[in-house]
Amino acid sequence: MREADIMSIRSNASVGILLGICLTAWAGGCSGDDDDQTSGRSSPAPVSPSPSEAPGPTPTLWPARTPTPGAATPAPTPVVETSPTPVREPTPTPQAEPTPTPVREPTPTPRAEPTPTPVREPTPTLPVSVTPTPQEYATSTPAIVATATPGGGGTPTYPPSSTATPFPDQDGDGYSVLEDCDDGDAAVYPGAPELCDGLDNDCDVDVDEDVQVLFYADADGDGYGTEASTTLDCDPPPGYAAVAEDCDDTDPTINPGADEACDGLDNDCDGAVDEGVTATFYLDADGDGYGVDAETAGACEAPEGYAEVGGDCDDGDQEVHPGALETCNHQDDDCDGQVDEGLPVSSYYLDSDVDGYGAGEAVEDCAAPEGYALKYGDCDDEEPLAYPGARESCDGLDNDCDGTGDHFESWFLDEFDTQALDPCWEIISPNPDSVVWQDSGEGVLTLVASPLNGGSDYFDTTNYDAPRVLHTAPAGDWTVSVRLRFDPTQNYQGAGILICFADGDDTDCWRVAERSYYPPGGGSVVHVVGDYVRYSEPEVFLKVEKRGDDYTGWFKASESDSWTQNGTKSNTGPVGRIGVFAIRQAWDGDLATYSLADFDWYELSP
């Protein structure tokens, strides 16, 4: 309700109150001046009623009301009585007690002139009674009420100052229309709590003061605004939010209540980017999919050169990483802190001469450590030509580590490719015209037999003045083979394998395998233990095998050919030496033709 309306209501009410006072003070007159009762001026004389005028019913200022049960009954308004016989009212004698000053509501608009006292018919009694209802009236300023003395004389009396005059309170909020700025709303009255409802609840002229809420402009409609643009209101206007602190009001997915996402943005407006949602990646220098724990980076996706999994114990080797297959290489392939775990191990021995055989204490490992060998038993680990199973040579060493020293015991191969003949060989050449030499360049042993060999019979086993090269025969069974280049053209030329028996001297020998020229046999022939077989190739491979007392012979023309057995013979005599020979006898008178035989290699095997 506007302040002008309130003042208008209060003004009209004041006029009504004054009128009520005047009517109450019926006999004494009424004027607009408060000093009429005490100024000494004479009041107008009352007019006597005409004899023809009969007394009428007693008028009442307000209709009589029935008090509301349980409510306090206001003091009744005193009745003003007048004498039936008009008399002049004497000047009132001042009473001992001070006369109360009437209290009236101020009149906003002064009257132009005093209202004359009306002349009325004398009334025996004029009762004035008001019974207000608490819901319709409220206690206000006390009113002056005068009581006239019957007979027309005496001094008017006034009620105590505590007597209140009721005023309308239409909404029952305890405040009359004079004070209530909206007497149609019980929630509106002076002192009421101010509500944020667009009304002046406490009647202080201000509307919604101190109860409006600050709202923030929310451009993206995510329920969070910014402090850059605000407004006060009871409810959020369109485009505003009750909460501020939106760090990006153009993106509805970014606000203080949003979940942080791994996208390079501060989604929840806490000043940090991607906090708590990034993954840890590990530097992967070797590109095997596993990185090192010491070098990490937090990101939404793996940066270049980084892996999702760490734990690589060797980031310079792609074969080494967690989960790799453990191999026998003396390193931790699977990065579990163990080396070569779960692999079978063997015993290895120090092999100083790197001949494949070691000596000393064993080392257990899954593979041979550097400088170690799996085989054991080297009798001289500083000499690579000495080890178990080596070919025995006449070199002053126990090559095969059998403890017997120089000998041809089990296996021997001489390719005649050294500067000097193996010391195990013995050269026998009684005829000074015969020559034995070794050509290391071509890798051959050459025997030259002179036609001046002694003897009278080519077939005499003692007739071996020709050159021969022999070595001690091993005990037991053996096999000897040679590769011979020899092309005989004259009678009584021959070369091959020679066996000499131990029960005689070196002249008791047997030409067990031979390539020769024998006219009765058809010229150029070969025989190995057996009969002569015609043979015209310039190169021949000869082999003799001893098994017990039996000797069997084979031959072939090339390395790739199969062996052809020539014959078998028995001899119970113990063999003392084995070797090669060449022979030439000039029974035909030809002293110019020599026998020249080249042995490419010689092999003795078990």
Side-chain angles (χ1 to χ4, degrees), residues 197-249:
D197 54 4
L199 303 176
D200 179 15
N201 304 89
D202 55 2
C203 295
D204 66 350
V205 184
D206 295 325
V207 176
D208 296 340
E209 71 278 8
D210 301 328
V211 293
Q212 288 183 320
V213 179
L214 185 63
F215 295 97
Y216 307 88
D218 180 15
D220 55 12
D222 59 3
Y224 294 84
T226 62
E227 296 181 355
S229 178
T230 61
T231 185
L232 286 170
D233 211 328
C234 297
D235 297 306
Y240 282 78
V243 184
E245 300 181 1
D246 196 334
C247 54
D248 186 349
D249 206 31

Side-chain angles (χ1 to χ4, degrees), residues 22-48:
C22 291
L23 292 176
T24 305
W26 169 263
C30 180
S31 72
D33 193 344
D34 293 339
D35 297 330
D36 286 347
Q37 297 287 338
T38 59
S39 63
R41 290 185 301 224
S42 299
S43 297
V47 179
S48 300

Side-chain angles (χ1 to χ4, degrees), residues 283-352:
L283 181 64
D284 181 15
D286 57 11
D288 59 4
Y290 295 84
V292 292
D293 295 339
E295 297 287 341
T296 61
C300 298
E301 297 180 355
E304 184 176 359
Y306 282 74
E308 295 181 2
V309 184
D312 199 333
C313 53
D314 186 350
D315 207 31
D317 188 344
Q318 287 187 336
E319 302 300 322
V320 177
H321 55 77
L325 178 65
E326 190 71 24
T327 59
C328 188
N329 55 8
H330 300 145
Q331 66 180 12
D332 182 11
D333 301 281
D334 55 5
C335 297
D336 64 351
Q338 304 181 65
V339 175
D340 298 338
E341 72 278 7
L343 300 175
V345 298
S346 300
S347 298
Y348 296 92
Y349 306 89
L350 181 63
D351 183 14
S352 300

Side-chain angles (χ1 to χ4, degrees), residues 137-502:
Y137 295 87
T139 302
S140 185
T141 306
I144 298 176
V145 181
T147 304
T149 302
T155 301
T157 61
Y158 297 88
S161 60
S162 60
T163 303
T165 302
F167 296 98
D169 179 13
Q170 299 297 324
D171 54 12
D173 56 8
Y175 289 84
S176 71
V177 67
L178 300 180
E179 300 166 295
D180 200 333
C181 57
D182 186 353
D183 206 31
D185 188 341
V188 177
Y189 54 85
E194 189 69 21
L195 305 176
C196 200
D197 54 4
L199 303 176
D200 179 15
N201 304 89
D202 55 2
C203 295
D204 66 350
V205 184
D206 295 325
V207 176
D208 296 340
E209 71 278 8
D210 301 328
V211 293
Q212 288 183 320
V213 179
L214 185 63
F215 295 97
Y216 307 88
D218 180 15
D220 55 12
D222 59 3
Y224 294 84
T226 62
E227 296 181 355
S229 178
T230 61
T231 185
L232 286 170
D233 211 328
C234 297
D235 297 306
Y240 282 78
V243 184
E245 300 181 1
D246 196 334
C247 54
D248 186 349
D249 206 31
T250 63
D251 189 340
T253 64
I254 297 178
N255 56 67
D259 293 329
E260 190 68 19
C262 202
D263 54 5
L265 302 175
D266 180 14
N267 305 90
D268 55 4
C269 296
D270 64 351
V273 175
D274 296 338
E275 75 281 3
V277 295
T278 58
T280 301
F281 298 94
Y282 306 86
L283 181 64
D284 181 15
D286 57 11
D288 59 4
Y290 295 84
V292 292
D293 295 339
E295 297 287 341
T296 61
C300 298
E301 297 180 355
E304 184 176 359
Y306 282 74
E308 295 181 2
V309 184
D312 199 333
C313 53
D314 186 350
D315 207 31
D317 188 344
Q318 287 187 336
E319 302 300 322
V320 177
H321 55 77
L325 178 65
E326 190 71 24
T327 59
C328 188
N329 55 8
H330 300 145
Q331 66 180 12
D332 182 11
D333 301 281
D334 55 5
C335 297
D336 64 351
Q338 304 181 65
V339 175
D340 298 338
E341 72 278 7
L343 300 175
V345 298
S346 300
S347 298
Y348 296 92
Y349 306 89
L350 181 63
D351 183 14
S352 300
D353 56 10
V354 197
D355 57 7
Y357 287 82
E361 295 184 0
V363 173
E364 301 296 321
D365 207 330
C366 60
E370 185 176 359
Y372 281 73
L374 180 63
K375 298 177 181 179
Y376 176 76
D378 199 331
C379 56
D380 187 351
D381 204 32
E382 300 298 328
E383 177 53 63
L385 297 178
Y387 54 86
R391 183 182 72 181
E392 191 64 41
S393 300
C394 292
D395 54 6
L397 301 174
D398 182 10
N399 304 90
D400 58 3
C401 295
D402 66 352
T404 60
D406 290 337
H407 63 282
F408 290 121
E409 185 170 320
S410 56
W411 180 82
F412 174 71
L413 172 64
D414 197 341
E415 295 180 334
F416 307 115
D417 53 2
T418 60
Q419 291 292 334
L421 195 63
D422 193 296
C424 288
W425 290 107
E426 181 182 2
I427 300 175
I428 302 174
S429 182
N431 191 326
D433 291 333
S434 298
V435 179
V436 176
W437 81 83
Q438 182 173 335
D439 188 344
S440 60
E442 294 186 9
V444 296
L445 175 66
T446 301
L447 278 67
V448 179
S450 169
L452 299 178
N453 287 320
S456 59
D457 188 353
Y458 178 80
F459 300 101
D460 185 356
T461 58
T462 62
N463 185 17
Y464 293 117
D465 293 337
R468 50 199 180 272
V469 180
L470 304 176
H471 67 84
T472 302
D477 297 333
W478 43 261
T479 300
V480 63
S481 57
V482 298
R483 180 179 182 179
L484 173 63
R485 291 197 295 268
F486 177 52
D487 188 14
T489 59
Q490 298 292 330
N491 198 12
Y492 308 120
Q493 286 180 305
I497 300 173
L498 186 69
I499 296 176
C500 298
F501 295 96

